[in-house]
Amino acid sequence: MNVLEVDLGTRSYPIYIGAGILEDSGFIQKNIQKHIKGVSTVTVSNRTVAPLYLEKIHSLISPFKNTDIILPDGEQYKTPETLDLIYTQMLEARCDRKTTLLALGGGVVGDVSGFAAASYQRGINFIQIPTTLLAMVDSSVGGKTGVNHPLGKNMIGAFHQPQCVIIDTETLNTLDDRQLSAGIAEIIKYGYINDLEFIDWLDENMSQLLKRNPEALAYAIHRSCKHKADIVAADEKEAGQRALLNLGHTFGHAIETGMGYGNWLHGEAISAGMVMAAELSQKHGWVSESEVASIRALLKKANLPVEPPTDINAEQFSNLMSIDKKVQDGVLHLVLMKSLGESIISSDFDKTALQQVLARA
Ligand code: NAD
Ligand code: GLY
């Protein structure tokens, strides 16, 4: 078992990473129960994950009075209506300010129930128990919580850090291949932000990751969480460098919103979005044609899409991108590649070049 720390002063918290840790009652008693301060818990999961892992959670938190809330499954349910459903069931169960919420599932469960924890009675403690690769390497760490709006992805939310993150890599055994690849997109993202050595490792070990080799997965998860923890510790509320974690996301969020939530997986949209960011960077002469080709090749190796959908035209793309959290004072900021393995945040990009990338899409 590995432990990483997200260093946020008095709000620091551990990320526990291990195979089978949800079944290790000794580990849970020693490490996890201390993060539950009151006498009651609420466990939020969804209809797919609950039948697989909820029983494990019950046995771990048996000393606490627990209420389960089971959500419908899918990005299309990451909505204010689902949030309201959580609030109602928590009120009916008489959850109070000392209740701890456990978020068991992928990024959708983590984001929506994390936002419920951020806002219920002005904020209660919560614990992230991610069960998708994407949630393990990205969404469960760093405290971004929220829901989508029909006009834009993740538009309503709050920063609310968990008490701890528990990553049991064995839960990945039940995840389907498409979801596994979507998680790999976020892993690859860390490499192109600032870790080319990791890109080389990913290139060499992609088949092992896709085969779910436990050592390869554990290594990639650990290295990704370390990147995320370091960036979050340096810039918790995205005043600056945390925005680098959004490489490919302004394009990707436009794809997710434009195609209808859930039709493109988040990781798939980020994959195509990273290629678009690379193409725009190439138009500035910052990366070469062969480097963009190498990005495409790595993403393809992970069975990820490298072309945006043809159903969104350039004008629609532009409109969708204008509703993004990286629009500040009406100015769009994008994460681009200053060189391969060195991403930057820029509002000073060539707007005609952007239109060319969108038009080509
Ligand atoms: P998801 O939560 O929809 O999970 C994908 C699918 O896998 C779902 O059908 C889910 O029920 C199922 N599933 C989950 N765990 C499983 C398991 N162990 N076995 C079998 N099936 C399992 O999608 P996701 O990719 O985990 O998360 C995407 C969401 O995360 C998006 O809404 C995205 O915006 C958000 N996100 C948030 C952050 C953040 O910092 N908060 C970062 C990245 C992404
Ligand atoms: N996934 C982007 C962030 O956490 O900042």
Short mmCIF file of all heavy atoms in Angstrom, two decimals, residues 41-100:
data_model
loop_
_atom_site.label_atom_id
_atom_site.label_comp_id
_atom_site.label_asym_id
_atom_site.label_seq_id
_atom_site.Cartn_x
_atom_site.Cartn_y
_atom_site.Cartn_z
N THR A 41 -22.84 8.04 8.71
CA THR A 41 -22.29 8.17 7.36
C THR A 41 -23.44 8.09 6.36
O THR A 41 -24.50 7.51 6.65
CB THR A 41 -21.30 7.04 7.03
OG1 THR A 41 -21.96 5.80 7.26
CG2 THR A 41 -20.05 7.12 7.86
N VAL A 42 -23.20 8.67 5.17
CA VAL A 42 -24.10 8.43 4.06
C VAL A 42 -23.21 7.97 2.90
O VAL A 42 -22.18 8.58 2.63
CB VAL A 42 -24.94 9.68 3.73
CG1 VAL A 42 -24.09 10.89 3.43
CG2 VAL A 42 -25.87 9.44 2.56
N THR A 43 -23.57 6.85 2.29
CA THR A 43 -22.76 6.34 1.18
C THR A 43 -23.52 6.57 -0.12
O THR A 43 -24.65 6.08 -0.28
CB THR A 43 -22.48 4.83 1.36
OG1 THR A 43 -21.89 4.64 2.65
CG2 THR A 43 -21.52 4.31 0.29
N VAL A 44 -22.91 7.35 -1.02
CA VAL A 44 -23.56 7.63 -2.30
C VAL A 44 -22.85 6.81 -3.37
O VAL A 44 -21.63 6.85 -3.50
CB VAL A 44 -23.49 9.13 -2.65
CG1 VAL A 44 -24.25 9.39 -3.95
CG2 VAL A 44 -24.07 9.98 -1.53
N SER A 45 -23.65 6.06 -4.14
CA SER A 45 -23.08 5.29 -5.24
C SER A 45 -24.09 5.29 -6.39
O SER A 45 -25.01 6.11 -6.38
CB SER A 45 -22.77 3.86 -4.75
OG SER A 45 -21.99 3.19 -5.72
N ASN A 46 -23.88 4.42 -7.37
CA ASN A 46 -24.89 4.37 -8.44
C ASN A 46 -25.32 2.92 -8.69
O ASN A 46 -24.79 1.98 -8.09
CB ASN A 46 -24.40 5.08 -9.71
CG ASN A 46 -23.33 4.30 -10.45
OD1 ASN A 46 -23.17 3.09 -10.27
ND2 ASN A 46 -22.57 4.98 -11.28
N ARG A 47 -26.26 2.76 -9.61
CA ARG A 47 -26.89 1.44 -9.79
C ARG A 47 -25.95 0.41 -10.37
O ARG A 47 -26.23 -0.78 -10.32
CB ARG A 47 -28.12 1.58 -10.70
CG ARG A 47 -29.26 2.28 -9.99
CD ARG A 47 -30.45 2.48 -10.90
NE ARG A 47 -31.38 3.43 -10.30
CZ ARG A 47 -32.20 4.21 -10.98
NH1 ARG A 47 -32.24 4.17 -12.31
NH2 ARG A 47 -33.00 5.05 -10.34
N THR A 48 -24.84 0.85 -10.96
CA THR A 48 -23.86 -0.11 -11.50
C THR A 48 -22.83 -0.50 -10.44
O THR A 48 -22.48 -1.67 -10.29
CB THR A 48 -23.11 0.53 -12.71
OG1 THR A 48 -24.08 0.97 -13.64
CG2 THR A 48 -22.15 -0.44 -13.35
N VAL A 49 -22.35 0.49 -9.72
CA VAL A 49 -21.24 0.26 -8.78
C VAL A 49 -21.75 -0.35 -7.47
O VAL A 49 -21.09 -1.21 -6.87
CB VAL A 49 -20.48 1.58 -8.52
CG1 VAL A 49 -19.35 1.36 -7.52
CG2 VAL A 49 -19.93 2.13 -9.83
N ALA A 50 -22.94 0.07 -7.03
CA ALA A 50 -23.44 -0.40 -5.74
C ALA A 50 -23.52 -1.93 -5.66
O ALA A 50 -23.03 -2.51 -4.68
CB ALA A 50 -24.80 0.24 -5.44
N PRO A 51 -24.09 -2.61 -6.68
CA PRO A 51 -24.14 -4.08 -6.55
C PRO A 51 -22.76 -4.73 -6.47
O PRO A 51 -22.62 -5.82 -5.95
CB PRO A 51 -24.85 -4.52 -7.85
CG PRO A 51 -25.51 -3.30 -8.38
CD PRO A 51 -24.73 -2.12 -7.90
N LEU A 52 -21.74 -4.03 -6.98
CA LEU A 52 -20.39 -4.61 -6.99
C LEU A 52 -19.65 -4.38 -5.67
O LEU A 52 -18.94 -5.27 -5.20
CB LEU A 52 -19.58 -3.99 -8.14
CG LEU A 52 -20.07 -4.24 -9.57
CD1 LEU A 52 -19.34 -3.33 -10.56
CD2 LEU A 52 -19.85 -5.71 -9.93
N TYR A 53 -19.78 -3.19 -5.12
CA TYR A 53 -18.87 -2.82 -4.01
C TYR A 53 -19.53 -2.28 -2.73
O TYR A 53 -18.84 -2.08 -1.74
CB TYR A 53 -17.83 -1.79 -4.52
CG TYR A 53 -17.02 -2.36 -5.65
CD1 TYR A 53 -17.15 -1.87 -6.95
CD2 TYR A 53 -16.17 -3.44 -5.44
CE1 TYR A 53 -16.43 -2.42 -8.00
CE2 TYR A 53 -15.46 -4.01 -6.49
CZ TYR A 53 -15.60 -3.50 -7.77
OH TYR A 53 -14.90 -4.07 -8.80
N LEU A 54 -20.83 -2.08 -2.75
CA LEU A 54 -21.45 -1.46 -1.57
C LEU A 54 -21.34 -2.33 -0.32
O LEU A 54 -21.09 -1.83 0.78
CB LEU A 54 -22.92 -1.14 -1.88
CG LEU A 54 -23.60 -0.19 -0.91
CD1 LEU A 54 -22.89 1.15 -0.84
CD2 LEU A 54 -25.07 0.04 -1.33
N GLU A 55 -21.46 -3.65 -0.51
CA GLU A 55 -21.36 -4.55 0.65
C GLU A 55 -20.02 -4.41 1.36
O GLU A 55 -19.92 -4.44 2.57
CB GLU A 55 -21.57 -6.01 0.22
CG GLU A 55 -23.03 -6.41 0.13
CD GLU A 55 -23.83 -6.06 1.39
OE1 GLU A 55 -23.35 -6.36 2.49
OE2 GLU A 55 -24.92 -5.47 1.26
N LYS A 56 -18.97 -4.28 0.55
CA LYS A 56 -17.61 -4.12 1.12
C LYS A 56 -17.59 -2.87 2.00
O LYS A 56 -17.02 -2.88 3.09
CB LYS A 56 -16.57 -3.93 0.02
CG LYS A 56 -16.15 -5.20 -0.70
CD LYS A 56 -14.95 -4.86 -1.59
CE LYS A 56 -14.85 -5.74 -2.81
NZ LYS A 56 -14.25 -6.99 -2.69
N ILE A 57 -18.21 -1.81 1.50
CA ILE A 57 -18.20 -0.55 2.26
C ILE A 57 -18.98 -0.73 3.56
O ILE A 57 -18.55 -0.29 4.63
CB ILE A 57 -18.80 0.60 1.41
CG1 ILE A 57 -18.03 0.78 0.11
CG2 ILE A 57 -18.85 1.91 2.20
CD1 ILE A 57 -16.57 1.11 0.26
N HIS A 58 -20.12 -1.43 3.47
CA HIS A 58 -20.93 -1.64 4.68
C HIS A 58 -20.11 -2.31 5.77
O HIS A 58 -20.17 -1.94 6.93
CB HIS A 58 -22.15 -2.50 4.37
CG HIS A 58 -23.20 -1.74 3.62
ND1 HIS A 58 -24.27 -2.34 3.02
CD2 HIS A 58 -23.34 -0.42 3.37
CE1 HIS A 58 -25.02 -1.43 2.44
NE2 HIS A 58 -24.46 -0.26 2.63
N SER A 59 -19.35 -3.33 5.38
CA SER A 59 -18.63 -4.04 6.44
C SER A 59 -17.51 -3.17 7.02
O SER A 59 -17.14 -3.34 8.18
CB SER A 59 -18.10 -5.38 5.94
OG SER A 59 -17.33 -5.18 4.80
N LEU A 60 -17.03 -2.23 6.22
CA LEU A 60 -15.95 -1.38 6.73
C LEU A 60 -16.45 -0.30 7.69
O LEU A 60 -15.72 0.15 8.57
CB LEU A 60 -15.24 -0.68 5.56
CG LEU A 60 -14.62 -1.63 4.55
CD1 LEU A 60 -14.08 -0.87 3.36
CD2 LEU A 60 -13.53 -2.45 5.20
N ILE A 61 -17.68 0.11 7.48
CA ILE A 61 -18.18 1.22 8.30
C ILE A 61 -19.26 0.74 9.27
O ILE A 61 -20.10 1.53 9.71
CB ILE A 61 -18.71 2.37 7.42
CG1 ILE A 61 -19.72 1.84 6.39
CG2 ILE A 61 -17.59 3.12 6.73
CD1 ILE A 61 -20.50 2.93 5.68
N SER A 62 -19.19 -0.55 9.61
CA SER A 62 -20.24 -1.10 10.47
C SER A 62 -20.41 -0.36 11.80
O SER A 62 -21.52 -0.31 12.33
CB SER A 62 -20.02 -2.60 10.69
OG SER A 62 -18.72 -2.79 11.17
N PRO A 63 -19.36 0.26 12.38
CA PRO A 63 -19.61 0.97 13.64
C PRO A 63 -20.49 2.22 13.47
O PRO A 63 -20.94 2.78 14.47
CB PRO A 63 -18.20 1.39 14.11
CG PRO A 63 -17.25 0.60 13.32
CD PRO A 63 -17.93 0.25 12.04
N PHE A 64 -20.72 2.66 12.24
CA PHE A 64 -21.44 3.93 12.03
C PHE A 64 -22.86 3.67 11.55
O PHE A 64 -23.14 2.66 10.90
CB PHE A 64 -20.69 4.80 11.00
CG PHE A 64 -19.28 5.08 11.42
CD1 PHE A 64 -18.23 4.26 11.00
CD2 PHE A 64 -18.99 6.15 12.26
CE1 PHE A 64 -16.93 4.49 11.40
CE2 PHE A 64 -17.67 6.39 12.67
CZ PHE A 64 -16.65 5.55 12.24
N LYS A 65 -23.74 4.62 11.86
CA LYS A 65 -25.12 4.52 11.36
C LYS A 65 -25.10 5.02 9.91
O LYS A 65 -24.84 6.21 9.67
CB LYS A 65 -26.03 5.40 12.22
CG LYS A 65 -27.47 5.43 11.77
CD LYS A 65 -28.26 6.40 12.67
CE LYS A 65 -29.64 6.68 12.10
NZ LYS A 65 -29.64 7.51 10.91
N ASN A 66 -25.31 4.13 8.97
CA ASN A 66 -25.14 4.49 7.55
C ASN A 66 -26.46 4.51 6.79
O ASN A 66 -27.34 3.69 7.03
CB ASN A 66 -24.20 3.48 6.87
CG ASN A 66 -23.98 3.80 5.40
OD1 ASN A 66 -23.42 4.84 5.06
ND2 ASN A 66 -24.47 2.94 4.53
N THR A 67 -26.55 5.47 5.86
CA THR A 67 -27.67 5.51 4.91
C THR A 67 -27.09 5.41 3.50
O THR A 67 -26.10 6.09 3.20
CB THR A 67 -28.40 6.88 5.02
OG1 THR A 67 -28.81 7.05 6.36
CG2 THR A 67 -29.59 6.95 4.08
N ASP A 68 -27.68 4.58 2.66
CA ASP A 68 -27.23 4.48 1.26
C ASP A 68 -28.09 5.36 0.36
O ASP A 68 -29.32 5.40 0.53
CB ASP A 68 -27.35 3.04 0.74
CG ASP A 68 -26.40 2.11 1.44
OD1 ASP A 68 -25.29 2.55 1.81
OD2 ASP A 68 -26.77 0.93 1.61
N ILE A 69 -27.45 6.00 -0.59
CA ILE A 69 -28.19 6.72 -1.63
C ILE A 69 -27.67 6.21 -2.98
O ILE A 69 -26.48 6.34 -3.27
CB ILE A 69 -28.00 8.25 -1.52
CG1 ILE A 69 -28.50 8.73 -0.15
CG2 ILE A 69 -28.71 8.97 -2.66
CD1 ILE A 69 -28.37 10.22 0.08
N ILE A 70 -28.56 5.63 -3.75
CA ILE A 70 -28.13 5.01 -5.01
C ILE A 70 -28.69 5.83 -6.17
O ILE A 70 -29.90 5.95 -6.35
CB ILE A 70 -28.62 3.54 -5.11
CG1 ILE A 70 -28.25 2.77 -3.83
CG2 ILE A 70 -28.05 2.87 -6.35
CD1 ILE A 70 -26.77 2.73 -3.49
N LEU A 71 -27.78 6.36 -6.97
CA LEU A 71 -28.16 7.26 -8.07
C LEU A 71 -28.29 6.47 -9.37
O LEU A 71 -27.66 5.41 -9.53
CB LEU A 71 -27.07 8.33 -8.26
CG LEU A 71 -26.66 9.12 -7.01
CD1 LEU A 71 -25.51 10.06 -7.35
CD2 LEU A 71 -27.86 9.90 -6.48
N PRO A 72 -29.04 7.02 -10.32
CA PRO A 72 -28.99 6.44 -11.67
C PRO A 72 -27.59 6.64 -12.23
O PRO A 72 -26.85 7.52 -11.77
CB PRO A 72 -30.03 7.24 -12.46
CG PRO A 72 -30.30 8.46 -11.66
CD PRO A 72 -29.93 8.18 -10.24
N ASP A 73 -27.20 5.82 -13.20
CA ASP A 73 -25.83 5.83 -13.71
C ASP A 73 -25.72 6.66 -14.99
O ASP A 73 -26.49 6.43 -15.93
CB ASP A 73 -25.42 4.37 -13.99
CG ASP A 73 -23.97 4.25 -14.46
OD1 ASP A 73 -23.24 5.27 -14.46
OD2 ASP A 73 -23.57 3.12 -14.82
N GLY A 74 -24.78 7.57 -15.03
CA GLY A 74 -24.50 8.24 -16.30
C GLY A 74 -24.23 9.73 -16.14
O GLY A 74 -24.74 10.39 -15.22
N GLU A 75 -23.41 10.22 -17.07
CA GLU A 75 -23.06 11.65 -17.10
C GLU A 75 -24.32 12.53 -17.20
O GLU A 75 -24.36 13.64 -16.69
CB GLU A 75 -22.14 11.90 -18.31
CG GLU A 75 -21.62 13.30 -18.48
CD GLU A 75 -20.54 13.70 -17.49
OE1 GLU A 75 -19.70 12.85 -17.12
OE2 GLU A 75 -20.54 14.88 -17.09
N GLN A 76 -25.35 12.00 -17.87
CA GLN A 76 -26.59 12.79 -18.04
C GLN A 76 -27.31 13.01 -16.72
O GLN A 76 -28.23 13.82 -16.65
CB GLN A 76 -27.51 12.13 -19.09
CG GLN A 76 -28.07 10.76 -18.76
CD GLN A 76 -27.12 9.61 -19.13
OE1 GLN A 76 -25.90 9.73 -19.08
NE2 GLN A 76 -27.69 8.47 -19.48
N TYR A 77 -26.88 12.30 -15.66
CA TYR A 77 -27.48 12.51 -14.34
C TYR A 77 -26.61 13.38 -13.43
O TYR A 77 -26.88 13.51 -12.25
CB TYR A 77 -27.76 11.16 -13.66
CG TYR A 77 -28.78 10.35 -14.43
CD1 TYR A 77 -28.39 9.25 -15.18
CD2 TYR A 77 -30.12 10.71 -14.43
CE1 TYR A 77 -29.31 8.53 -15.92
CE2 TYR A 77 -31.06 10.00 -15.17
CZ TYR A 77 -30.64 8.91 -15.91
OH TYR A 77 -31.56 8.19 -16.64
N LYS A 78 -25.55 13.95 -14.00
CA LYS A 78 -24.71 14.85 -13.18
C LYS A 78 -25.38 16.23 -13.23
O LYS A 78 -24.92 17.15 -13.89
CB LYS A 78 -23.29 14.86 -13.77
CG LYS A 78 -22.25 15.51 -12.89
CD LYS A 78 -20.86 15.34 -13.46
CE LYS A 78 -20.01 16.55 -13.28
NZ LYS A 78 -18.65 16.40 -13.82
N THR A 79 -26.50 16.33 -12.54
CA THR A 79 -27.39 17.49 -12.69
C THR A 79 -27.83 18.03 -11.34
O THR A 79 -27.78 17.32 -10.32
CB THR A 79 -28.67 17.07 -13.43
OG1 THR A 79 -29.29 16.00 -12.67
CG2 THR A 79 -28.41 16.58 -14.84
N PRO A 80 -28.38 19.24 -11.33
CA PRO A 80 -28.97 19.78 -10.09
C PRO A 80 -30.11 18.89 -9.58
O PRO A 80 -30.32 18.80 -8.37
CB PRO A 80 -29.51 21.15 -10.53
CG PRO A 80 -28.67 21.53 -11.70
CD PRO A 80 -28.34 20.24 -12.40
N GLU A 81 -30.82 18.20 -10.48
CA GLU A 81 -31.94 17.33 -10.03
C GLU A 81 -31.39 16.17 -9.19
O GLU A 81 -31.97 15.79 -8.18
CB GLU A 81 -32.71 16.77 -11.24
CG GLU A 81 -33.52 17.79 -12.02
CD GLU A 81 -32.68 18.74 -12.87
OE1 GLU A 81 -31.58 18.33 -13.32
OE2 GLU A 81 -33.11 19.89 -13.08
N THR A 82 -30.27 15.60 -9.63
CA THR A 82 -29.67 14.50 -8.85
C THR A 82 -29.18 15.02 -7.50
O THR A 82 -29.31 14.36 -6.46
CB THR A 82 -28.50 13.87 -9.65
OG1 THR A 82 -29.02 13.40 -10.88
CG2 THR A 82 -27.87 12.72 -8.90
N LEU A 83 -28.64 16.20 -7.53
CA LEU A 83 -28.18 16.83 -6.28
C LEU A 83 -29.35 16.96 -5.31
O LEU A 83 -29.24 16.64 -4.12
CB LEU A 83 -27.65 18.22 -6.67
CG LEU A 83 -26.71 18.95 -5.76
CD1 LEU A 83 -25.48 18.13 -5.48
CD2 LEU A 83 -26.32 20.28 -6.44
N ASP A 84 -30.48 17.40 -5.84
CA ASP A 84 -31.66 17.59 -5.01
C ASP A 84 -32.12 16.26 -4.41
O ASP A 84 -32.53 16.20 -3.25
CB ASP A 84 -32.76 18.21 -5.89
CG ASP A 84 -33.85 18.79 -5.04
OD1 ASP A 84 -33.52 19.50 -4.08
OD2 ASP A 84 -35.03 18.50 -5.32
N LEU A 85 -32.01 15.21 -5.22
CA LEU A 85 -32.37 13.88 -4.73
C LEU A 85 -31.48 13.49 -3.53
O LEU A 85 -31.95 12.93 -2.54
CB LEU A 85 -32.18 12.93 -5.89
CG LEU A 85 -32.61 11.49 -5.87
CD1 LEU A 85 -33.05 11.12 -7.29
CD2 LEU A 85 -31.47 10.58 -5.47
N ILE A 86 -30.19 13.82 -3.64
CA ILE A 86 -29.28 13.50 -2.52
C ILE A 86 -29.67 14.30 -1.28
O ILE A 86 -29.77 13.76 -0.17
CB ILE A 86 -27.80 13.77 -2.92
CG1 ILE A 86 -27.39 12.92 -4.11
CG2 ILE A 86 -26.86 13.52 -1.73
CD1 ILE A 86 -25.99 13.20 -4.66
N TYR A 87 -29.90 15.61 -1.47
CA TYR A 87 -30.28 16.44 -0.31
C TYR A 87 -31.53 15.88 0.37
O TYR A 87 -31.60 15.77 1.59
CB TYR A 87 -30.62 17.88 -0.73
CG TYR A 87 -29.50 18.71 -1.32
CD1 TYR A 87 -29.76 19.59 -2.37
CD2 TYR A 87 -28.20 18.64 -0.83
CE1 TYR A 87 -28.77 20.38 -2.92
CE2 TYR A 87 -27.20 19.43 -1.38
CZ TYR A 87 -27.48 20.30 -2.42
OH TYR A 87 -26.50 21.08 -2.97
N THR A 88 -32.53 15.52 -0.45
CA THR A 88 -33.80 15.06 0.12
C THR A 88 -33.58 13.80 0.95
O THR A 88 -34.05 13.70 2.09
CB THR A 88 -34.82 14.78 -1.03
OG1 THR A 88 -34.96 15.97 -1.77
CG2 THR A 88 -36.16 14.34 -0.49
N GLN A 89 -32.82 12.85 0.37
CA GLN A 89 -32.62 11.59 1.12
C GLN A 89 -31.77 11.81 2.36
O GLN A 89 -31.96 11.15 3.37
CB GLN A 89 -32.01 10.53 0.20
CG GLN A 89 -33.01 10.13 -0.89
CD GLN A 89 -32.59 8.88 -1.63
OE1 GLN A 89 -32.03 7.95 -1.06
NE2 GLN A 89 -32.87 8.83 -2.92
N MET A 90 -30.86 12.76 2.30
CA MET A 90 -30.05 13.05 3.50
C MET A 90 -30.92 13.70 4.59
O MET A 90 -30.79 13.39 5.77
CB MET A 90 -28.86 13.95 3.15
CG MET A 90 -27.80 13.20 2.35
SD MET A 90 -26.38 14.22 1.92
CE MET A 90 -25.58 14.41 3.50
N LEU A 91 -31.82 14.58 4.17
CA LEU A 91 -32.70 15.22 5.16
C LEU A 91 -33.65 14.19 5.76
O LEU A 91 -33.86 14.16 6.98
CB LEU A 91 -33.48 16.37 4.50
CG LEU A 91 -32.63 17.60 4.19
CD1 LEU A 91 -33.36 18.54 3.24
CD2 LEU A 91 -32.25 18.33 5.48
N GLU A 92 -34.18 13.32 4.89
CA GLU A 92 -35.10 12.28 5.40
C GLU A 92 -34.38 11.38 6.41
O GLU A 92 -34.98 10.92 7.36
CB GLU A 92 -35.64 11.45 4.24
CG GLU A 92 -36.72 12.20 3.47
CD GLU A 92 -37.13 11.52 2.16
OE1 GLU A 92 -36.52 10.48 1.78
OE2 GLU A 92 -38.04 12.06 1.51
N ALA A 93 -33.09 11.14 6.16
CA ALA A 93 -32.32 10.26 7.06
C ALA A 93 -31.79 11.05 8.27
O ALA A 93 -31.05 10.50 9.09
CB ALA A 93 -31.16 9.63 6.31
N ARG A 94 -32.17 12.33 8.35
CA ARG A 94 -31.73 13.20 9.47
C ARG A 94 -30.19 13.30 9.54
O ARG A 94 -29.61 13.31 10.63
CB ARG A 94 -32.26 12.70 10.83
CG ARG A 94 -33.79 12.57 10.89
CD ARG A 94 -34.47 13.94 10.91
NE ARG A 94 -35.91 13.83 11.06
CZ ARG A 94 -36.79 13.78 10.04
NH1 ARG A 94 -36.37 13.81 8.78
NH2 ARG A 94 -38.08 13.70 10.28
N CYS A 95 -29.54 13.34 8.38
CA CYS A 95 -28.09 13.57 8.38
C CYS A 95 -27.83 14.97 8.93
O CYS A 95 -28.58 15.90 8.63
CB CYS A 95 -27.55 13.48 6.95
SG CYS A 95 -27.64 11.82 6.26
N ASP A 96 -26.80 15.10 9.71
CA ASP A 96 -26.52 16.41 10.29
C ASP A 96 -25.11 16.86 9.89
O ASP A 96 -24.47 16.25 9.03
CB ASP A 96 -26.73 16.41 11.81
CG ASP A 96 -25.79 15.43 12.51
OD1 ASP A 96 -24.69 15.17 11.99
OD2 ASP A 96 -26.16 14.93 13.59
N ARG A 97 -24.64 17.92 10.52
CA ARG A 97 -23.36 18.50 10.11
C ARG A 97 -22.16 17.61 10.40
O ARG A 97 -21.06 17.85 9.90
CB ARG A 97 -23.16 19.84 10.83
CG ARG A 97 -23.97 20.92 10.21
CD ARG A 97 -23.68 22.21 10.88
NE ARG A 97 -23.92 23.31 9.96
CZ ARG A 97 -23.89 24.57 10.30
NH1 ARG A 97 -23.63 24.92 11.55
NH2 ARG A 97 -24.11 25.51 9.42
N LYS A 98 -22.35 16.60 11.25
CA LYS A 98 -21.23 15.70 11.56
C LYS A 98 -21.28 14.41 10.73
O LYS A 98 -20.40 13.56 10.85
CB LYS A 98 -21.20 15.40 13.05
CG LYS A 98 -20.81 16.64 13.85
CD LYS A 98 -20.44 16.32 15.26
CE LYS A 98 -18.96 16.04 15.37
NZ LYS A 98 -18.59 15.63 16.73
N THR A 99 -22.29 14.29 9.89
CA THR A 99 -22.36 13.12 9.00
C THR A 99 -21.21 13.19 8.00
O THR A 99 -20.88 14.26 7.49
CB THR A 99 -23.70 13.12 8.23
OG1 THR A 99 -24.77 13.07 9.19
CG2 THR A 99 -23.81 11.94 7.28
N THR A 100 -20.60 12.04 7.73
CA THR A 100 -19.56 11.98 6.69
C THR A 100 -20.13 11.27 5.47
O THR A 100 -20.74 10.20 5.58
CB THR A 100 -18.33 11.20 7.21
OG1 THR A 100 -17.75 11.93 8.29
CG2 THR A 100 -17.27 11.03 6.11
#
